[in-house]
Coordinates of all heavy atoms in Angstrom, one line a residue:
Q965 N 4.5 -9.1 -6.3 CA 5.4 -10.2 -6.0 C 6.0 -10.1 -4.6 O 6.0 -11.1 -3.9 CB 6.5 -10.3 -7.1 CG 7.3 -11.5 -7.0 CD 8.3 -11.7 -8.1 OE1 8.4 -10.8 -9.0 NE2 9.1 -12.7 -8.1
A966 N 6.4 -9.0 -4.2 CA 7.0 -8.8 -2.9 C 5.9 -8.9 -1.8 O 6.2 -9.5 -0.8 CB 7.7 -7.4 -2.8
L967 N 4.7 -8.4 -2.1 CA 3.7 -8.5 -1.1 C 3.3 -10.0 -0.8 O 3.0 -10.4 0.4 CB 2.4 -7.8 -1.6 CG 2.4 -6.3 -1.5 CD1 1.2 -5.7 -2.3 CD2 2.4 -5.8 -0.1
S968 N 3.4 -10.8 -1.8 CA 3.0 -12.2 -1.6 C 4.0 -13.0 -0.7 O 3.7 -14.1 -0.3 CB 2.9 -12.9 -3.0 OG 4.2 -13.1 -3.6
K969 N 5.1 -12.4 -0.5 CA 6.1 -13.1 0.4 C 6.3 -12.5 1.8 O 7.0 -13.0 2.6 CB 7.5 -13.0 -0.3 CG 7.5 -13.7 -1.7 CD 8.9 -13.5 -2.4 CE 8.9 -14.1 -3.8 NZ 10.2 -13.9 -4.5
L970 N 5.5 -11.4 2.0 CA 5.6 -10.7 3.3 C 5.1 -11.6 4.5 O 4.1 -12.3 4.3 CB 4.8 -9.4 3.3 CG 5.4 -8.2 2.7 CD1 4.5 -7.0 2.9 CD2 6.8 -7.9 3.3
H971 N 5.8 -11.6 5.6 CA 5.3 -12.2 6.8 C 4.5 -11.2 7.6 O 5.0 -10.0 7.8 CB 6.5 -12.7 7.6 CG 7.3 -13.8 6.9 ND1 8.3 -13.5 6.0 CD2 7.2 -15.2 7.0 CE1 8.8 -14.7 5.6 NE2 8.1 -15.7 6.2
G972 N 3.4 -11.6 8.2 CA 2.7 -10.7 9.1 C 1.2 -10.6 8.6 O 0.8 -11.0 7.6
S973 N 0.4 -10.0 9.5 CA -1.0 -9.7 9.3 C -1.2 -8.2 9.3 O -0.7 -7.5 10.3 CB -1.9 -10.4 10.4 OG -1.6 -11.8 10.4
F974 N -1.9 -7.7 8.3 CA -1.9 -6.2 8.3 C -3.0 -5.7 7.3 O -3.6 -6.4 6.5 CB -0.6 -5.7 7.7 CG -0.2 -6.2 6.4 CD1 -0.7 -5.6 5.2 CD2 0.6 -7.3 6.3 CE1 -0.3 -6.1 4.0 CE2 1.0 -7.8 5.0 CZ 0.5 -7.2 3.9
I975 N -3.4 -4.5 7.5 CA -4.1 -3.6 6.6 C -3.2 -2.4 6.4 O -2.8 -1.8 7.4 CB -5.5 -3.2 7.0 CG1 -6.4 -4.4 7.1 CG2 -6.0 -2.1 6.1 CD1 -7.8 -4.0 7.7
A976 N -2.9 -2.1 5.2 CA -2.1 -0.9 4.9 C -2.9 0.1 4.0 O -3.6 -0.4 3.1 CB -0.8 -1.3 4.2
V977 N -2.8 1.4 4.3 CA -3.4 2.4 3.4 C -2.3 3.3 2.9 O -1.5 3.9 3.7 CB -4.4 3.2 4.2 CG1 -5.2 4.2 3.3 CG2 -5.4 2.4 5.0
R978 N -2.2 3.3 1.6 CA -1.1 4.0 0.9 C -1.6 5.3 0.3 O -2.5 5.3 -0.5 CB -0.5 3.1 -0.2 CG 0.6 3.6 -1.0 CD 1.0 2.6 -2.1 NE 2.0 3.0 -3.0 CZ 1.8 3.7 -4.1 NH1 0.6 4.0 -4.5 NH2 2.8 4.1 -4.9
F979 N -0.9 6.4 0.7 CA -1.3 7.7 0.2 C -0.3 8.2 -0.8 O 0.9 8.2 -0.4 CB -1.5 8.7 1.3 CG -2.7 8.5 2.1 CD1 -2.7 7.8 3.3 CD2 -3.9 9.1 1.7 CE1 -3.9 7.6 4.0 CE2 -5.1 8.9 2.4 CZ -5.1 8.2 3.6
N980 N -0.7 8.7 -1.9 CA 0.1 9.5 -2.8 C -0.5 10.9 -2.8 O -1.4 11.2 -3.5 CB 0.2 8.9 -4.2 CG 1.2 9.6 -5.1 OD1 1.3 10.8 -5.0 ND2 1.8 8.9 -5.9
K981 N 0.1 11.7 -1.9 CA -0.5 13.1 -1.7 C -0.4 13.9 -3.0 O -1.3 14.8 -3.2 CB 0.2 13.8 -0.5 CG -0.1 13.0 0.8 CD 0.6 13.7 1.9 CE 0.4 13.0 3.2 NZ 1.1 13.6 4.4
T982 N 0.7 13.7 -3.7 CA 0.8 14.5 -4.9 C -0.2 14.2 -6.0 O -0.8 15.2 -6.6 CB 2.2 14.3 -5.6 OG1 3.2 14.6 -4.6 CG2 2.5 15.2 -6.8
Q983 N -0.5 13.0 -6.2 CA -1.5 12.6 -7.2 C -2.9 12.4 -6.6 O -3.8 12.0 -7.4 CB -1.0 11.3 -7.9 CG 0.3 11.4 -8.6 CD 0.8 10.1 -9.2 OE1 0.0 9.1 -9.3 NE2 2.0 10.1 -9.7
K984 N -3.0 12.5 -5.3 CA -4.3 12.4 -4.6 C -4.9 11.0 -4.9 O -6.1 10.8 -5.3 CB -5.3 13.5 -5.1 CG -4.8 14.9 -4.7 CD -5.9 15.9 -5.0 CE -5.4 17.3 -4.6 NZ -6.4 18.4 -5.0
Q985 N -4.1 10.0 -4.7 CA -4.5 8.6 -4.8 C -4.4 7.9 -3.5 O -3.5 8.2 -2.7 CB -3.6 7.9 -5.9 CG -3.7 8.4 -7.3 CD -2.8 7.7 -8.3 OE1 -2.2 6.7 -7.9 NE2 -2.8 8.1 -9.5
L986 N -5.2 6.9 -3.4 CA -5.3 6.1 -2.1 C -5.4 4.6 -2.5 O -6.2 4.3 -3.4 CB -6.5 6.6 -1.3 CG -6.7 5.9 0.1 CD1 -7.5 6.9 1.0 CD2 -7.6 4.6 -0.1
S987 N -4.6 3.8 -1.8 CA -4.7 2.3 -2.1 C -4.9 1.6 -0.7 O -4.3 2.0 0.3 CB -3.5 1.8 -2.8 OG -3.3 2.4 -4.0
L988 N -5.8 0.6 -0.7 CA -6.0 -0.3 0.4 C -5.3 -1.6 0.1 O -5.7 -2.2 -0.9 CB -7.5 -0.5 0.7 CG -8.2 0.8 1.1 CD1 -9.7 0.5 1.1 CD2 -7.8 1.3 2.5

């Protein structure tokens, strides 16, 4: 819901180092 309201152009890569997860 919050992402749908963001202003700007981007690619974000989210790391959870503890759980060894990655999100694009």
Side-chain angles (χ1 to χ4, degrees):
Q965 186 173 1
L967 285 170
S968 68
K969 299 176 182 178
L970 279 184
H971 296 83
S973 304
F974 58 85
I975 292 176
V977 188
R978 177 181 178 273
F979 284 96
N980 187 320
K981 297 180 181 179
T982 303
Q983 299 180 8
K984 297 183 179 180
Q985 294 180 4
L986 180 154
S987 297
L988 296 170

